[in-house]
């Protein structure tokens, strides 16, 4: 069988430069490469990875390969694939990749199937699509799988649902739940890259605009914070009372989407749930409203409803489709797919350095410990999480204090008061 399916191998030299540029900002991955490329702790590992195929992901794949793993990669979203990076991974680094930017739904799933085989012994997902495939159509491949890892909140939700029904077939580390992942990637990564996607797609001035953020999880917090920094008036919508309160005390207006719909200029969904912006909200929006989603799947904005309500639509800029709804114009970015990876390049390398150090450590941990693990969703051991934070600090030239013996004693005692 052909070992890859890509757009154009001739893009490789462009892709290599991009991979190297990102790699220069991923010093934690570089330190792992230095540590593990000699003794190759991942020897024997046949890994199927389904991730956004970006220059940052390329650096993770190269590290995994140098550490002894045999890796195959496919895309976790048809619009985030960087074809030049794919070409270089195949040509310059000898890695099997099945990914084409803009792939149809059918090709997308074909690529997932090409990435797994009865020889695969570990999965690395961003959104749990490989896990889904192995628990449905390709159950016969489960016999050799020893474990897996998961990158994102949505994927972890799916895995927990599967485990809750007692159907998860192998242990998976939820890398997303590591502190060095969601505190930084979800908040600062999504915060910056979502604004980046909005600006690249529309070239809009955020200052003075009313920007509505749906969801105040780590991603929503990041988007709200960065939009505020650009001078937008930020409104948060939430279903969770504690998060809603936190948003209010962080200085944002909080209201229901039906109320925000009337006054928002820009809407960004970051909830992980479906139809958060629905027909009833779209009906209330101002002409010129801009809709974008930064959650993993393209389900948060009811695009079908928008299409049905509209008498016509046209592409007004790359990645922006204007729908004529009554006498109003509603603009949808990237078809409701992840705005940060479709209209921009995803999170910058500096933050993916930590997320992917977590992926590497999780894969290594599972490979070395799967015999002791159950088919459950695990968090990355805190020791490894802390090691990533320490390594990142060290690469940033930052030193922190250490507890003195006296302070350690104080923290472990209950007798000492005022
Ligand atoms: N998820 C968010 N940003 C990403 C990036 N740059 N590469 C891979 N996955 C991502």
């Amino acid at each position: 069988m052909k070992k890859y399916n890509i757009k154009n191998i001739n893009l490789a030299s462009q892709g290599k430069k991009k991979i190297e540029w990102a790699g220069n900002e991923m010093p934690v991955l570089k330190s792992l490469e230095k540590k593990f490329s000699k003794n190759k702790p991942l020897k024997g590992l046949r890994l199927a990875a389904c991730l956004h195929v970006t220059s940052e992901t390329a650096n993770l794949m190269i590290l995994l390969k140098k550490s002894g793993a045999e890796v195959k990669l496919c895309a976790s979203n048809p619009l985030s694939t960087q074809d030049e990076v794919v070409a270089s991974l195949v040509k310059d680094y000898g890695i099997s990749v099945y990914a084409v930017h803009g792939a149809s739904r059918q090709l997308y799933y074909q690529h997932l199937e090409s990435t797994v085989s009865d020889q695969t012994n570990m999965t690395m997902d961003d959104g749990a699509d490989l896990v889904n495939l192995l628990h449905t159509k390709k159950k016969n491949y489960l016999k050799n799988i020893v474990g897996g890892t998961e990158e994102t909140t949505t994927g972890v939700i799916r895995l927990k649902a599967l485990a809750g029904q007692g159907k998860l077939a192998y242990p998976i580390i939820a890398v997303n739940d590591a502190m060095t992942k969601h505190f930084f990637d979800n908040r600062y990564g999504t915060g910056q890259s979502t604004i980046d996607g909005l600006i690249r797609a529309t070239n809009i001035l955020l200052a003075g605009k009313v920007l509505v953020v749906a969801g105040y999880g780590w991603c929503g917090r990041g988007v709200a914070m960065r939009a505020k920094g650009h001078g937008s008036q930020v409104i948060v919508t939430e279903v969770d009372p504690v998060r809603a309160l936190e948003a209010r005390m962080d200085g944002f207006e909080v209201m229901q989407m039906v109320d925000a719909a009337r006054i928002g200029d820009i809407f960004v969904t970051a909830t992980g749930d479906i139809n958060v912006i629905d027909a009833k909200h779209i009906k209330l929006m101002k002409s010129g409203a801009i809709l974008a989603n930064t959650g993993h799947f393209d389900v948060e904005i009811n695009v079908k409803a928008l299409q049905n309500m509209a008498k016509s639509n046209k592409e007004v800029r790359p990645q922006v489709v204007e729908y004529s709804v009554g006498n109003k114009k509603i603009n949808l970015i990237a078809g409701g797919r992840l705005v940060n990876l479709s209209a921009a390049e995803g999170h910058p390398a500096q933050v993916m350095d930590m997320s992917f150090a977590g992926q590497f450590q999780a894969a290594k941990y599972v490979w070395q410990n799967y015999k002791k693990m159950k088919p459950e969703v695990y968090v990355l051991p805190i020791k490894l999480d802390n090691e990533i934070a320490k390594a990142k600090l060290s690469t940033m030239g930052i030193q922190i204090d250490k507890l003195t013996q006296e302070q350690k004693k104080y923290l472990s005692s209950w007798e000492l008061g005022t």
Side-chain angles (χ1 to χ4, degrees):
M1 203 168 65
K2 204 169 137 209
K3 285 214 170 104
Y4 57 88
N5 190 32
I6 70 176
K7 188 159 275 168
N8 181 356
I9 198 84
N10 296 327
L11 299 172
S13 63
Q14 213 180 312
K16 189 156 194 274
K17 284 187 205 150
K18 221 172 153 177
I19 293 169
E20 286 169 359
W21 174 265
N24 290 340
E25 297 297 336
M26 301 181 92
V28 179
L29 290 196
K30 286 271 178 313
S31 69
L32 291 168
E33 181 183 317
K34 207 164 161 207
K35 198 161 167 191
F36 295 118
S37 58
K38 272 214 184 73
N39 69 351
K40 304 208 182 302
L42 301 185
K43 202 157 184 261
L45 174 61
R46 291 181 297 274
L47 181 88
C50 178
L51 302 168
H52 296 291
V53 187
T54 64
S55 51
E56 292 77 26
T57 299
N59 280 283
L60 170 63
M61 294 299 112
I62 294 162
L63 167 65
L64 288 162
K65 186 175 178 197
K66 286 191 174 165
S67 303
E70 201 182 291
V71 288
K72 286 187 184 171
L73 173 66
C74 64
S76 63
N77 185 300
L79 292 187
S80 57
T81 299
Q82 298 169 356
D83 288 319
E84 65 281 22
V85 166
V86 174
S88 177
L89 275 176
V90 170
K91 186 170 177 203
D92 303 314
Y93 299 97
I95 290 174
S96 289
V97 189
Y98 302 86
V100 172
H101 183 91
S104 65
R105 203 180 152 74
Q106 190 198 7
L107 184 61
Y108 175 84
Y109 283 106
Q110 250 176 39
H111 284 162
L112 256 79
E113 289 193 27
S114 304
T115 306
V116 287
S117 72
D118 60 357
Q119 296 303 303
T120 306
N121 47 28
M122 192 180 293
T123 57
M124 180 175 281
D125 258 315
D126 186 335
D129 277 352
L130 284 180
V131 166
N132 182 275
L133 180 67
L134 292 171
H135 285 73
T136 51
K137 253 178 110 180
K138 295 287 176 193
K139 278 186 176 162
N140 53 324
Y141 292 170
L142 281 173
K143 59 181 186 298
N144 282 327
I145 308 269
V146 299
T149 68
E150 170 55 52
E151 170 78 3
T152 200
T153 316
T154 294
V156 175
I157 291 169
R158 292 177 95 188
L159 292 177
K160 286 188 177 161
L162 194 61
Q165 291 177 4
K167 291 182 184 159
L168 182 63
Y170 54 90
I172 301 194
I173 295 191
V175 175
N176 181 70
D177 295 355
M179 291 180 290
T180 49
K181 202 287 185 171
H182 64 270
F183 285 168
F184 304 96
D185 171 311
N186 301 27
R187 181 168 35 173
Y188 304 114
T190 307
Q192 177 168 320
S193 60
T194 300
I195 301 290
D196 184 14
L198 276 173
I199 294 174
R200 287 198 208 192
T202 62
N203 196 26
I204 200 168
L205 179 72
L206 292 171
K209 291 287 187 297
V210 178
L211 189 144
V212 180
V213 182
Y216 205 63
W218 290 105
C219 296
R221 287 179 180 110
V223 176
M225 173 173 66
R226 292 302 183 232
K228 184 180 177 180
H230 278 270
S232 296
Q233 178 196 334
V234 177
I235 296 173
V236 171
T237 68
E238 247 302 339
V239 292
D240 180 296
V242 177
R243 285 181 176 180
L245 203 53
E246 187 186 356
R248 185 74 190 109
M249 295 209 186
D250 283 346
F252 303 115
E253 279 188 74
V254 178
M255 62 183 78
Q256 293 184 319
M257 185 57 91
V258 280
D259 297 320
R262 295 172 203 276
I263 48 181
D265 298 304
I266 303 164
F267 295 80
V268 179
T269 52
T271 68
D273 213 338
I274 59 168
N275 299 340
V276 175
I277 293 183
D278 214 338
K280 65 178 180 198
H281 306 119
I282 296 169
K283 272 189 201 133
L284 300 170
M285 287 177 183
K286 297 193 286 192
S287 188
I290 293 171
L291 313 187
N293 164 53
T294 202
H296 186 79
F297 287 119
D298 55 345
V299 296
E300 306 206 15
I301 301 168
N302 191 342
V303 177
K304 273 245 154 60
L306 177 60
Q307 283 164 349
N308 291 338
M309 292 161 77
K311 45 180 193 288
S312 61
N313 70 65
K314 61 177 186 221
E315 192 182 67
V316 285
R317 285 171 65 90
Q319 303 282 4
V320 185
V321 173
E322 179 193 270
Y323 289 82
S324 295
V325 179
N327 54 5
K328 294 190 289 190
K329 313 261 181 245
I330 304 290
N331 298 298
L332 178 67
I333 305 188
R337 290 195 182 274
L338 286 159
V339 62
N340 62 337
L341 279 138
S342 303
E345 292 171 66
H347 307 348
Q350 290 84 349
V351 82
M352 294 313 295
D353 192 25
M354 281 192 280
S355 312
F356 285 163
Q359 282 287 5
F360 177 85
Q361 290 290 15
K364 183 167 153 295
Y365 182 88
V366 174
W367 188 234
Q368 291 171 339
N369 294 283
Y370 66 85
K371 288 191 181 129
K372 294 181 267 176
M373 296 171 85
K374 297 193 191 103
E376 287 170 9
V377 181
Y378 287 81
V379 289
L380 188 70
I382 183 94
K383 186 169 168 284
L384 295 174
D385 207 357
N386 275 326
E387 264 178 30
I388 295 168
K390 277 189 204 153
K392 190 70 181 174
L393 280 171
S394 145
T395 65
M396 293 167 89
I398 297 171
Q399 294 190 338
I400 58 171
D401 289 327
K402 282 198 172 73
L403 290 174
T404 62
Q405 279 311 322
E406 184 190 30
Q407 287 170 330
K408 278 190 194 162
K409 192 168 166 218
Y410 179 78
L411 289 178
S412 60
S413 72
W414 56 271
E415 296 93 339
L416 294 170
T418 326

